[in-house]
């Protein structure tokens, strides 16, 4: 069913909102329920560790060629690796102990190609990129993090350079989350990408246990691919029709009091907890959401079996144009639900 309407009032495209997830899981093998996929930990934990960093380590203090380059290394991070220089990793394995993290300082750069990031048994914190920091992830896999990528840009402030091409964010509590930096005058978060193309956000196996002191506590499935609050954001690349994919989690995008434009994304098999809700995109609390075509004749987003609704809007103004909504015999969800 195609949707070509400008929607600002409560419109309900309703099939039948009541269905059981037990049946849904059983008949939808792409989700992990019943059969866990092989995790990065299971695949790589027994490989030889080449480098171990304990405690807080600054890359500027490492005795390595400048710019620092790693190739084919298994790197164990037990603490915090602070990137305050230029780092390039090619075909590397980054293993993190519980609660460990990677921080990119302002003016510093981290590029990873064909690399893996994961932890075993318990979650790691994730990658944090500061204002004017630069991160480029290309053909990488990021698993087991509380917040796989945390950004710190804000409206009116200096910007980070965030480039994400063909990466898989899997089994993280949240894939990407923007946060306000501790800077006087910072008021509204900003999430912009220099490139955001052909990335996948999913959960194909049960999440790791939380690390000690982790809040909020995760459930067994990813909460959101992208989570934002009081944020101005563009998700997708307006000049390229190749999609980003969100599947097998509670929410593809979760937007609280935010202004959000989404282009060229697909959402499928959102997992509704019992009791609870799930949606491809959930926008609420006076948010403004635009899920609309950027170029005439170009199909924008698709929503398939997205739990309660493909687009769920609470106290939110939104525009939906040239999107596709599908359902199956196992998922009687709403296309758009505004309430």
């Amino acid at each position: 069913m195609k949707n070509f309407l400008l929607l600002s009032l409560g419109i309900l495209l309703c099939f039948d909102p009541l269905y059981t997830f037990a049946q849904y899981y059983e008949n939808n093998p792409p989700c992990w329920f019943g059969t866990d996929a092989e995790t990065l930990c299971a695949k790589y934990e027994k490989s030889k560790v080449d480098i171990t960093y304990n405690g807080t380590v600054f890359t500027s203090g490492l005795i390595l060629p400048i710019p620092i380059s790693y190739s084919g290394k298994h790197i164990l991070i037990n603490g915090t690796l602070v990137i305050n220089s230029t780092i390039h990793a090619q075909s590397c394995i980054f293993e993190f102990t519980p609660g460990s993290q990677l921080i990119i300082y302002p003016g510093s750069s981290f590029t990873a190609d064909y690399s893996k990031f994961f932890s075993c048994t318990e979650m790691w914190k994730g990658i944090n990129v500061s204002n004017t920091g630069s991160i480029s992830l290309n053909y990488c896999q990021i698993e087991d993090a509380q917040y796989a990528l945390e950004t710190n840009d804000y409206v009116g402030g200096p910007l980070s350079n965030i480039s994400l091409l063909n990466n898989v964010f899997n089994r993280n509590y949240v894939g990407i989350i923007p946060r306000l930096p501790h800077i006087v005058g910072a008021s509204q978060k900003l999430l912009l990408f220099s490139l955001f193309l052909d990335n996948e956000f999913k959960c194909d196996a049960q999440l790791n246990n939380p690390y000690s002191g982790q809040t909020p506590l995760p459930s067994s499935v990813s909460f959101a691919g992208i989570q934002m609050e009081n944020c101005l954001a563009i998700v997708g690349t307006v000049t390229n029709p190749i999609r980003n994919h969100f599947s097998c989690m509670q929410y593809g995008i979760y937007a609280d009091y935010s202004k959000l434009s989404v282009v060229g994304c697909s959402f499928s098999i959102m997992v509704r907890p019992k009791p609870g809700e799930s949606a491809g995109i959930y926008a609420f609390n006076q948010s403004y959401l635009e899920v609309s075509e950027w170029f005439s004749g170009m199909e924008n987003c698709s929503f398939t079996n997205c739990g309660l609704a493909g687009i769920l809007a609470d106290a939110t103004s939104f525009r939906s144009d040239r999107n596709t909504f599908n359902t199956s015999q196992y998922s009687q969800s709403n296309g758009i639900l505004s309430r």
Side-chain angles (χ1 to χ4, degrees):
M1 178 177 59
K2 298 280 186 179
N3 171 44
F4 301 94
L5 301 176
L6 174 64
L7 298 155
S8 58
L9 299 176
I11 295 178
L12 174 64
L13 306 181
C14 184
F15 301 98
D16 179 358
L18 300 178
Y19 65 97
T20 63
F21 262 84
Q23 182 188 35
Y24 181 58
Y25 300 155
E26 180 182 353
N27 291 283
N28 285 271
C31 276
W32 60 267
F33 302 93
T35 305
D36 283 7
E38 184 181 31
T39 65
L40 290 179
C41 173
K43 191 171 183 178
Y44 294 108
E45 68 172 335
K46 295 182 180 180
S47 69
K48 177 181 175 294
V49 174
D50 301 296
I51 302 170
T52 300
Y53 294 129
N54 293 309
T56 300
V57 176
F58 290 82
T59 57
S60 61
L62 300 175
I63 305 175
L64 290 170
I66 304 298
I68 298 174
S69 180
Y70 301 96
S71 181
K73 300 295 185 183
H74 186 154
I75 301 166
L76 177 64
I77 298 173
N78 180 32
T80 300
L81 179 62
V82 179
I83 294 178
N84 61 339
S85 56
T86 298
I87 301 290
H88 179 243
Q90 176 77 27
S91 302
C92 287
I93 297 170
F94 289 87
E95 182 179 350
F96 296 82
T97 59
S100 295
Q101 61 184 331
L102 191 153
I103 296 177
I104 303 169
Y105 264 22
S108 302
S109 174
F110 177 65
T111 299
D113 302 319
Y114 300 95
S115 295
K116 322 291 184 186
F117 301 77
F118 69 92
S119 64
C120 295
T121 66
E122 296 178 7
M123 289 186 164
W124 59 293
K125 287 184 178 178
I127 302 172
N128 182 298
V129 55
S130 302
N131 303 93
T132 73
S134 176
I135 183 168
S136 177
L137 301 177
N138 307 291
Y139 301 89
C140 293
Q141 293 176 256
I142 304 97
E143 285 191 7
D144 310 314
Q146 180 184 18
Y147 302 113
L149 179 59
E150 183 177 323
T151 67
N152 288 274
D153 290 341
Y154 61 97
V155 174
L159 298 180
S160 306
N161 180 48
I162 304 170
S163 176
L164 303 176
L165 173 63
N166 208 335
N167 303 290
V168 177
F169 293 81
N170 186 24
R171 302 179 63 246
N172 305 293
Y173 174 66
V174 172
I176 299 174
I177 186 167
R179 292 185 181 274
L180 277 177
H182 300 291
I183 297 175
V184 175
S187 58
Q188 186 180 36
K189 307 176 189 76
L190 186 67
L191 182 61
L192 294 176
F193 303 93
S194 57
L195 182 64
F196 187 72
L197 188 64
D198 203 18
N199 299 289
E200 183 176 9
F201 298 80
K202 65 178 182 177
C203 183
D204 66 7
Q206 186 167 337
L207 299 185
N208 280 4
N209 294 325
Y211 61 82
S212 178
Q214 178 175 333
T215 57
L217 293 175
S219 65
S220 58
V221 68
S222 296
F223 177 71
I226 300 176
Q227 179 183 356
M228 61 187 72
E229 178 185 2
N230 187 23
C231 185
L232 177 63
I234 298 176
V235 177
T237 300
V238 300
T239 57
N240 197 310
I242 296 179
R243 296 173 181 243
N244 297 284
H245 308 272
F246 299 80
S247 65
C248 295
M249 57 185 59
Q250 188 171 353
Y251 300 103
I253 299 175
Y254 180 92
D256 178 4
Y257 190 60
S258 297
K259 294 180 180 180
L260 170 65
S261 181
V262 183
V263 61
C265 293
S266 67
F267 302 83
S268 62
I269 316 180
M270 294 297 146
V271 179
R272 189 194 306 185
K274 300 179 182 180
E277 298 179 339
S278 64
I281 301 174
Y282 180 33
F284 64 103
N285 189 20
Q286 302 179 57
S287 292
Y288 176 76
L289 170 65
E290 182 168 294
V291 190
S292 180
E293 64 168 345
W294 286 75
F295 304 103
S296 177
M298 172 179 160
E299 183 181 290
N300 187 33
C301 292
S302 65
F303 300 84
T304 304
N305 299 345
C306 285
L308 181 59
I311 298 174
L312 176 60
D314 279 343
T316 290
S317 298
F318 65 97
R319 174 189 172 102
S320 173
D321 186 29
R322 289 191 179 274
N323 300 304
T324 304
F325 299 87
N326 299 296
T327 188
S328 73
Q329 60 178 314
Y330 306 115
S331 172
Q332 293 80 40
S333 65
N334 302 295
I336 299 174
L337 175 58
S338 179
R339 57 190 184 183

